[in-house]
Structures are given as C-alpha cells and as structure tokens.
Amino acid sequence: MPFLYPSLEVCWKPLKASSRFSDTARIHRRRLNHESSHSRSLSQSSTTPALLGYNEHLNPPPEDYGRTIFSDKCALSLHAGSGGHGCISFLREKFIAAGPANGGDGGSGGNIYIQAVRGETSLHKLARRGILKAGRGKNGQGKSKGGQRGEDVLIQVPVGTVVREVSRYDPVTEESENLNLTANSASVEGDARGSWSRDKWILYPASDPSEYATAEFPVLPKPRRSNLALVQPPSPISLDLSEPMEQPILLAAGAVGGLGNPHFVTKSMVRPKFATRGESGMKLELELELKLLADVGFVGLPNAGKSTLLRALSRSRARVGDWAFTTLQPNIGTVVLDNNYGRPRLQSVDSDGERRTQFSIADIPGLVPDAHLDRGLGLGFLRHIERARVLAFVVDLSSGDSVLALKNLWKELNQFERLKDRDTNIETEHRIVSWQAFGSSVSRASPQDAEVETGTEDIMINAGSQTLAPLQMPPISSKPWFVVGTKADLPSSQENYTRLKLYLESVSAGAVALPSGKRHGWKGQLMAIPISAICGEGIEQITEWIINLLNQ
C-alpha cells in the first residue's frame, strides 16, 4: 500500500512509544540500511558495473518520486487598484481662526502588468491563485499631501503564453456612457447641483448634518481616467507572448484618486467641507494558455518507458513503474547543455540567435486505442502533443510489432486532428445566420451585390459567449519527429528494431507513404534510436538528434 501511494506511508508507521527509544531505533535502522546497501553494491560491482551510476536515479525507490505540478491553461480575474479618497482639511496655524482648505488628493490605484520570462514552464502558480488584486491608493492627507500610489502587480508567465480576454468591467466607461445619455436633459442638470451622492462625495465628519440639508453641491466632476490607460492594449485583449520581454506590458491601469476640498473653493464657498471619492478599479477576466508546452514531446503507448527515459535525460523525479498509466499528467524535464563547467559538449542556437543552454522535454501520458474518442485519460493530453516543437515517438521494442505500434500512434493523432477540425466547422456554422432581405427594403436601382438582391447572403453574428475558441495550432503532421526504441537490451528486440529501421528508411526514400497519411507532412530525415533507459545506454544519441532538429 505505501508503495502505490507514497503520501500514505506516514500513516502506516507505528506509534512512538517514547522519544528516547524512537531515536535509538532510528539510528539503528539507518545503520542497518547503510550496511545492507554497501554490501549490495559490493556484490553487484563484479556483475553489473554499468548500473552503479544509474540505480538511484533510473530505478528509484518510491520515496524518490516527485509530484509534478503542471498546468498549461488557467483563468485569471484581475482587479486594478481603486483610487484613494480626497481629503477634507483646513489650515491650522497660530492666529488663524479659519484657515483655507488644504486637503490633498487621493493616490492612484495599483497597475497590473504581465511579462514573459525565461525559466517558467507552467501556469500552475497563477491557476492556484485565480484572483489577483492590485493595491488601493491611499487617501489624501492634510497640508496638501497627496496619497501614495497602490502597489502594482507583475504577472510573470512562460514564453509562449497566449493571453485572451473573456470579459471586462470598466466603471469609468460605464459612468461616462450614462452621463452622455443624460447630458441633454435639463432636469438632470438641475438635480446635479444641490444634491449629493453617497458613492461620490465625502462629507466633513466634524460638521452637523443639518448644514448639508440646504447646501448646494457643485457639479460632480466628470469621470477621470489615468494617463497610463493610453498604454493599455486595445479591447479585447489578445496577446501572443512568444519572446522573452525586457519590459512588461500594462494590462490594467489603476484608477485615479479622489479630489481634495481645495478643488471646490469658490467665491461663495471659501471653506468647502466635502471631497470626492476615488474611482473604482477595472476588472478583467483573462484566459492564459501555453502555446508551446516543451521543445520535445514524448508520444507513446502506456508502459513504453517514457518516464524512465525522461529521468535518464534529465534530473526529473517522475514516477516510474512496471505497469500502465504510471504518468497521469505531463512531466516536464530540462536537459542542460551548458552547466558552466568548461566547454559545452553540444552547442545550439535558438530562433533569436542566442546560444541555447538547455531545452525542455514533456513526458505526455500514454495513448490507448481510440484515445481520440475520449478514452483512456481523455482528449486533454492529445492537446498537449500539439504544443511540442519536436515529437519523439517512444516504442517498446520488446513487446509487439514496433511498426504497427508507430502506425497506431499516428492513427490516433490523425483522428484527433479530424475531430478538432469538425468541431471548428460546427462552431462556425452556429455563428452563421441565414438572412433574407425584404423585397421593399432592397433598391433595385443600385444593388450592391447580386446576393443582396436575391437575399441569399450570410451574416456573421457574434454570439457573445463567455467561452473562447480553442487556439489554432500548426498541424501535428508538420512537426519534426523521430522514433526512440526503448528496452533494446531485452531479448528479441534486435529483430523488431531492424524492421522499424527498414520501414523508416522506406518512408524517407518515398517508397512508402508517411504514417501520418498527409501529403504535406514533414519529410525530413527519419531516425530510429535504440536505447536502454534503465541502463543509461544510447541516450547521448537522443540529445544530439534533438539538437539537430531544433537547429533546423
């Protein structure tokens, strides 16, 4: 039981009788484990010397498993900071009985920025929070001191993140529209002077409420917007953060603060006892999605050795086991090319011309037959395959026909693409409305088009749905790919590898059709690399071939 569920291992430990005896037993147990491991290593040194460097990492105990927290899609609710309230204050000095107004304005609210940085590979940190709020501006103070600005919020996302707006609520825009609708009404203008609104005005706390019963308030200032709002991207927001950014992008500017009482000084009202409240901040509902999950994606059947291969190539602590569906969610590993200890063995340059020091690998859960019909672990993991730059098909050479296994994997990917294209067409048809013009409404003297005259045109109508359409990714068949034959150290794997190699050579020469079934699929040089991940043999060829494909 603890082996299958390492998190429950603590619950199976016996109760401690005493701290003194428990410490003694712990030391004795540690000493026995050390002696047994030392004797085991001495006994294996003469038989399997090649496994000494790989036993601990490639065939780990359950305690060494690490939980991978990963998310490639999340929804965020952003709240820009509201402005601080204006201050009602008067000058207080010696020999000045009633000083003039000197209340300061409220501070502006905090802004929300977004920046794509290197080193981030997942959106799970943002998905866990869900709601991000910038700081509210501080209220104004006496002696004409303005309030402090609210704290800004900086959202750091991985490179390749697509940001799309779902909805927004802007109080300043809504209030401006309401004022424009009522601007021509004389009665409304008369009500604006001589009345006050609890949501807009602040009254002097030390005054008597009867003073405001007959007092005339000035015209309420128009809604104000921060000057930084001019830098915001136009609505609706749609950003493709495909490159690292030195400067962040402003998503939502904070609201401006309220006005202090000096702004309302007139000849008839030298000491105004009211100020305005700060504007409310903007609210945004965004959807973030990774366009590029990893540089390389492992695609294969369950129990093909993908997780062990990931541990052999990187320092990932993915869970491994001799049963199907060991991996229940994508595991991300990083292969370091330059560890700053001498000259790197492999050199590569990315698309920006910078030297590549590492690349990422995604271990995608295994695909079962009819996975495109939402069987196995569902369609969500087929979606992850689209987000890999290079595909590595992991095939088990010790079980079954490797050529048939490769064709079945490509069959599932092709069926998934057809299913996605069909869903896109159905969604488009729902947004097309058949419309026919009335005969009297169409002028026959100057028809704009024959379709308008006959009334057979189609009109696209936005349904206003809160769910966004899926991202348009490049076809899977257009991605570079190669094959990795695992468990090549087992018997009867050499013949299976020979058939696989001959098949790939025939495909590269054009004698056999591509397994993707697409005429315009990727037609580069195909490669089959036999390895033994548990022994760490042959994995250097995988790194070299991946670098070759990434450079192309």
Side-chain angles (χ1 to χ4, degrees), residues 338-406:
D338 186 6
N339 55 2
N340 298 323
Y341 288 99
R343 181 176 297 177
R345 186 173 59 89
L346 297 175
Q347 296 184 1
S348 175
V349 179
D350 56 11
S351 58
D352 299 333
E354 299 181 0
R355 188 167 58 91
R356 181 184 284 110
T357 60
Q358 61 186 17
F359 64 88
S360 57
I361 299 178
D363 174 22
I364 301 172
L367 302 181
V368 299
D370 296 334
H372 65 281
L373 299 178
D374 207 6
R375 294 182 181 178
L377 295 179
L379 295 173
F381 299 106
L382 284 171
R383 180 173 55 88
H384 293 145
I385 299 176
E386 294 181 307
R387 287 160 170 75
R389 185 174 291 143
V390 177
L391 300 181
F393 290 87
V394 183
V395 179
D396 188 0
L397 297 178
S398 63
S399 63
D401 188 2
S402 58
V403 177
L404 182 60
L406 178 62

Side-chain angles (χ1 to χ4, degrees), residues 300-312:
L301 298 174
N303 200 23
K306 300 183 296 297
S307 300
T308 307
L309 178 58
L310 180 65
R311 294 182 72 108

Side-chain angles (χ1 to χ4, degrees), residues 220-453:
L220 189 66
K222 295 182 178 180
R224 297 176 299 143
R225 194 184 300 273
S226 174
N227 296 331
L228 293 177
L230 300 175
V231 192
Q232 293 178 175
S235 175
I237 297 176
S238 180
L239 303 176
D240 187 358
L241 309 180
S242 57
E243 296 180 358
M245 301 165 53
E246 296 182 358
Q247 300 292 335
I249 297 178
L250 177 64
L251 289 180
V256 297
L259 301 177
N261 59 341
H263 290 273
F264 307 102
V265 174
T266 59
K267 294 181 179 180
S268 60
M269 187 180 301
V270 184
R271 292 169 52 86
K273 295 184 179 181
F274 44 81
T276 59
R277 298 180 181 271
E279 302 289 347
S280 300
M282 179 192 305
K283 298 179 183 179
L284 287 177
E285 298 289 340
L286 300 181
E287 181 180 278
L288 278 64
E289 190 170 0
L290 284 181
K291 183 177 63 174
L292 181 63
L293 177 64
D295 295 323
V296 183
F298 288 163
V299 183
L301 298 174
N303 200 23
K306 300 183 296 297
S307 300
T308 307
L309 178 58
L310 180 65
R311 294 182 72 108
L313 290 172
S314 65
R315 301 192 64 180
S316 173
R317 297 174 58 194
R319 186 179 182 181
V320 296
D322 193 12
W323 60 83
F325 297 110
T326 307
T327 303
L328 300 179
Q329 60 182 356
N331 295 319
I332 306 298
T334 302
V335 179
V336 179
L337 301 177
D338 186 6
N339 55 2
N340 298 323
Y341 288 99
R343 181 176 297 177
R345 186 173 59 89
L346 297 175
Q347 296 184 1
S348 175
V349 179
D350 56 11
S351 58
D352 299 333
E354 299 181 0
R355 188 167 58 91
R356 181 184 284 110
T357 60
Q358 61 186 17
F359 64 88
S360 57
I361 299 178
D363 174 22
I364 301 172
L367 302 181
V368 299
D370 296 334
H372 65 281
L373 299 178
D374 207 6
R375 294 182 181 178
L377 295 179
L379 295 173
F381 299 106
L382 284 171
R383 180 173 55 88
H384 293 145
I385 299 176
E386 294 181 307
R387 287 160 170 75
R389 185 174 291 143
V390 177
L391 300 181
F393 290 87
V394 183
V395 179
D396 188 0
L397 297 178
S398 63
S399 63
D401 188 2
S402 58
V403 177
L404 182 60
L406 178 62
K407 292 181 178 179
N408 290 335
L409 291 175
W410 271 113
K411 177 183 176 182
E412 295 300 328
L413 298 183
N414 293 334
Q415 294 294 337
F416 170 70
E417 284 193 333
R418 293 179 182 177
L419 182 63
K420 191 179 67 171
D421 294 341
R422 188 190 67 180
D423 294 342
T424 303
N425 295 335
I426 293 176
E427 183 181 356
T428 305
E429 291 177 358
H430 285 320
R431 290 184 295 163
I432 297 179
V433 179
S434 180
W435 176 82
Q436 294 183 353
F438 294 102
S440 59
S441 63
V442 178
S443 175
R444 295 184 178 273
S446 58
Q448 299 295 331
D449 196 358
E451 293 183 353
V452 177
E453 186 175 358

Side-chain angles (χ1 to χ4, degrees), residues 56-101:
E56 297 182 357
H57 186 64
L58 299 182
N59 192 15
E63 293 81 5
D64 189 59
Y65 294 156
R67 180 189 176 191
T68 301
I69 304 176
F70 176 80
S71 177
D72 65 336
K73 189 176 182 180
C74 71
L76 285 181
S77 179
L78 306 182
H79 299 256
S82 301
H85 304 325
C87 178
I88 306 173
S89 176
F90 304 98
L91 180 63
R92 298 174 60 89
E93 290 185 2
K94 191 175 182 179
F95 305 116
I96 299 180

Side-chain angles (χ1 to χ4, degrees), residues 104-150:
D105 298 340
S108 301
N111 308 319
I112 299 180
Y113 299 89
I114 191 170
Q115 183 181 16
V117 296
R118 298 184 185 272
E120 295 287 341
T121 58
S122 175
L123 298 174
H124 68 277
K125 299 178 182 178
L126 298 176
R128 185 185 305 160
R129 299 184 65 177
I131 300 177
L132 298 177
K133 296 183 179 181
R136 177 182 173 273
K138 303 297 182 181
N139 297 336
Q141 301 178 7
K143 298 183 180 179
S144 300
K145 293 182 180 180
Q148 296 180 356
R149 291 183 61 254

